[in-house]
Amino acid sequence: MHNLERSCRAQLVIPASGAGIAPLSDAVARHIAQQYANFYDSIEVPEKPDAAWAAFKRMLERADPDFTN
């Protein structure tokens, strides 16, 4: 969730700053995606939900019980 928030923040801040965006090459994007996949595969436990994600969902359900509609 932390990485998602940072990515979203960057997508808002960069254009607002007037700076240009230098796109990544396909090779770099694939390499980074594979790094994330390898990391998450290494910490994932089959049949056990992600405790942090479950906590974020509970927070959202308390803040806005109707969010799924």
Side-chain angles (χ1 to χ4, degrees):
M1 198 62 172
H2 174 71
N3 289 337
L4 176 61
E5 180 189 354
R6 290 180 61 204
S7 296
C8 292
R9 187 180 305 246
Q11 290 206 356
L12 293 172
V13 170
I14 291 171
S17 74
I21 297 174
L24 299 174
S25 70
D26 288 344
V28 170
R30 279 192 299 276
H31 179 73
I32 293 169
Q34 189 61 54
Q35 286 179 316
Y36 271 92
N38 290 343
F39 171 73
Y40 287 110
D41 286 348
S42 73
I43 64 170
E44 191 172 275
V45 177
E47 307 300 321
K48 182 178 178 190
D50 182 315
W53 184 249
F56 280 117
K57 285 176 58 179
R58 287 192 304 273
M59 286 172 44
L60 181 55
E61 288 167 352
R62 282 193 300 271
D64 184 6
D66 214 22
F67 81 96
T68 58
N69 295 331

